[in-house]
Amino acid sequence: MNAHRIAYFSMEIGLNTEILTYSGGLGVLAGDTIRSAADLKVPMVAVTLLYRKGYFRQRLEADGWQREDLAEWPVEDLLHETAARVTVSVEGRTVHLRCWTYEVIGVDGFSVPVYFLDADLPENSEGDRALTHFLYGGDEHYRLCQEVILGVGGVRMLRALGHVNVLRFHMNEGHAALLTLELLDEEAKKAGRSVIVGEDIEAVREKCVFTTHTPVPAGHDKFPAGLARRIVGQRDDFFSLEGVLLEGDILNMTFLALNSSRYVNGVAQKHGEVSRLMFAGYSIEAITNGVHAATWVSEPFRAVFNHYIPGWQKDNFRLRYALSLPKEEMWNAHMAAKRTLLERVNRETGAGLDEHVLTIGFARRASTYKRGDLLFHDLERLRKIAVEAGALQVIFAGKAHPRDLGGKELIKRVFLAGEALGKEVRVVYLEDYDMKLGAMMTAGVDLWLNTPEPPLEASGTSGMKASLNGIPNLSVLDGWWIEGHIEGLTGWAIGARNRGEAEGHSSAEDAASLYDQLERVIIPLFYHDRERFVEVMVYCIAINGSFFNTHRMVQEYVLNAYF
């Protein structure tokens, strides 16, 4: 047990489509991080909560309006219960916790255990038993109770399981920041004190690493001081510490993590810059996100890589040798993945999509800043492009948060645009986006579209998954794409590269740029210069696939943050 020196805390972790403890990018990134840690034999253990009711199942009505259903799953069939038990105090009540485990096994057999904290025990009241039922459910009271369980309960559970010599505690976003409270209490006890003092902060700071993912101030968890004191307890020794309460009346989990960490990073170079502006005075580095290559490469491409690039799963940098792969085999692998996707789409929707038509994919959380409807800004121009330049079909997927009415309206607008375009541009929106569908889409379309409003995309990882499968990106220059974009080589940009933030980002201008790229560059290339299109696919793998992966990312954490 003592060999596990890194404890990775995340509110959500996406391990597979059966274990419903993730909602989107943050959780999938966490799962990919853990898989790469296992492949690279990094001595890590992960901690999260057990969401028995999952996130939600998405059901779309005929007009595109999203409905949500419960997403229960068979916990006992997929996880192993341990004998360990700990308690935490929530609003003065004792809440009992148990722990379930899942072992992530690396390419050479190295194991990283994932611990799921569960409050659904008969010793707890009915309300407390439900505290770990829902991911991102309930109000801020429910959320803060969960964050006490994750942070305080997570550290206590690690100790109960024998992890007493953890070197670093890595907070994947601010949800886990209350782990610092438990670590401060441990320092005080070591010194024989019953209260925390200022000198404990430095000892805790040396143990903590914090990754921030959110470039939007409203996206950071914050709670009124009165609510925090009621749930966490009247801990004057904690709440009076410098950097705990923001402006004296707000418990801001991001600032708590910032003030308690020896190393802080954003998740792309641009996001690092944005974070330094948001949190002036803090030293914030940047480690660009990645994806776990072996998880997201489709079966047809996996067979090609295994044959021509042995060892690529352990050393992703070997994917640069894709430059020498036979072009015909690359195209055949792509078409095999495309057929798999279109068979599912046509089976579920009856849309009649054609494998020979240029297929655009867009799949991510349905949020207004991601502008999923930008493609439909000018329906007449899009229709004209499809008729005169070359046929188009579009596949969408993505869930809106149940309380995000703007996100739900966005999905509905995509539906309406599809109806208006009819057979001239076939548009489908697939229900219940999950890891399996994400893998099919990022391998099976011909072009990956990303249209966020800059600078609100912290990183983005779906385009990285597409690159691993030779799918070029057509994307706004934000997040990781600023680093991964080489015009005409790894894909194409939407909008001007050198446009300053002060100039704004007009949706009309970005839509016009998107249409120009489709009409003048991408469609002609796809239909009339297949050899050149396949060259772009090859460069996607060799340049971006070989770099934007969690093997490289975890190695950067090891070198810069952990040791």
Side-chain angles (χ1 to χ4, degrees), residues 17 87 112 164 269 318 329 350 355 400 402 483 498 519 531 551 555:
T17 51
T87 62
V112 172
V164 295
Q269 296 300 317
R318 293 189 185 189
E329 290 192 41
E355 69 178 71
E483 301 166 52
N498 58 358
E519 183 177 26
E531 184 176 348
H551 277 30
Q555 287 170 333

Side-chain angles (χ1 to χ4, degrees), residues 527-543:
Y527 285 114
H528 306 300
D529 193 352
R530 181 60 48 75
E531 184 176 348
R532 176 74 185 94
F533 191 88
V534 176
E535 281 184 11
V536 176
M537 294 175 60
V538 169
Y539 281 114
C540 288
I541 298 168
I543 295 176

